[in-house]
Amino acid sequence: MFTGIVQATCEVEAIEKKPGLNTLQVALTPDLREGLAIGASVANNGVCLTVTKLEDNRVFFDVMEETLKLTNLATLCVGSQINIERSLTFGSEIGGHLLSGHIQTQAILTSVSQTDSHYDLCLCVDPQWMHYILYKGFIGVNGCSLTVGQVTATDFMLHLIPETLKLTNLACYKVGDKLNIEIDSQTQAIVDTVERVLAKRAECE
């Protein structure tokens, strides 16, 4: 489990492409590397990956073919900056909201609005996911726990503060790029339950 509070952006130093998977070599900061062991879970752009090898500050992750199809990890290249979060430990403060690291879909960045006082992103996802994205609700975007702004039938807004821009890679994305999306699990459960109840009620009338 993760909190959606990105701890650092780290550089991809190498990518080994093999049949059915890619192996990422990521340079973690010393504080993130400390105590990390093989088999540990680490969120990379919001994707829960398992540590397979450790060499000094370099950490290796295998990314399976299905994950490459579903997430933006397939578009990474050497030098890419990725959002990193170590897994939640017992007794830790939860500053964001609980995330599993299981990405449901990707969103396309359709516009960026930047002034001295704001940095806004507009994202579009497939219609099947839009009814889980609610105004002032939570959403995971590239592993960041964010509050949803204005919502339409086809897209939604994110209003980012300077601290978020400083600690994450969200400012690196341009119109047309794709970002990993994890829907808030509690919101999804509530929406699905309400829909089932309403559908059952309609059958009985």
Side-chain angles (χ1 to χ4, degrees):
M1 299 296 290
F2 305 92
T3 67
I5 304 300
V6 172
Q7 294 166 291
T9 55
C10 298
E11 183 175 337
V12 177
E13 290 195 337
I15 302 174
E16 182 182 359
K17 297 185 178 182
K18 294 173 280 190
L21 66 85
N22 288 357
T23 297
L24 304 181
Q25 181 178 317
V26 182
L28 293 196
T29 57
D31 57 323
L32 291 177
R33 174 64 179 81
E34 185 178 359
L36 192 64
I38 292 175
S41 296
V42 178
N44 292 250
N45 274 1
V47 183
C48 179
L49 298 178
T50 300
V51 176
T52 59
K53 184 180 178 182
L54 298 166
E55 287 185 358
D56 300 323
N57 71 319
R58 293 169 294 170
V59 181
F60 295 74
F61 304 94
D62 287 340
V63 187
M64 303 302 293
E65 185 174 12
E66 184 65 21
T67 302
L68 292 171
K69 290 179 181 178
L70 189 61
T71 74
N72 62 17
L73 297 186
T75 65
L76 294 176
C77 58
V78 174
S80 292
Q81 296 291 319
I82 53 177
N83 292 334
I84 296 291
E85 182 188 354
R86 294 274 301 268
S87 60
L88 182 65
T89 58
F90 182 76
S92 298
E93 178 182 357
I94 301 177
H97 74 284
L98 289 177
L99 295 173
S100 66
H102 298 155
I103 302 302
Q104 282 102 347
T105 188
Q106 294 183 72
I108 298 174
L109 180 58
T110 57
S111 70
V112 178
S113 176
Q114 180 180 9
T115 70
D116 291 338
S117 60
H118 74 259
Y119 195 99
D120 297 342
L121 304 180
C122 183
L123 300 175
C124 177
V125 298
D126 289 340
Q128 64 174 311
W129 300 110
M130 280 305 302
H131 64 302
Y132 299 123
I133 301 174
L134 308 176
Y135 176 64
K136 295 298 184 182
F138 293 118
I139 193 167
V141 180
N142 264 21
C144 306
S145 172
L146 298 171
T147 302
V148 178
Q150 180 183 1
V151 177
T152 73
T154 58
D155 54 37
F156 63 97
M157 296 292 298
L158 297 173
H159 308 289
L160 306 181
I161 62 173
E163 186 69 10
T164 300
L165 295 173
K166 182 175 71 174
L167 293 176
T168 73
N169 62 11
L170 296 181
C172 300
Y173 284 79
K174 301 177 178 62
V175 172
D177 289 343
K178 294 183 177 181
L179 294 93
N180 295 331
I181 297 295
E182 181 177 342
I183 301 297
D184 178 53
S185 59
Q186 291 187 0
T187 300
Q188 185 171 3
I190 292 169
V191 170
D192 287 346
T193 299
V194 170
E195 288 184 344
R196 284 196 300 269
V197 170
L198 292 177
K200 190 68 174 179
R201 183 178 299 173
E203 291 176 1
C204 298
E205 290 179 352

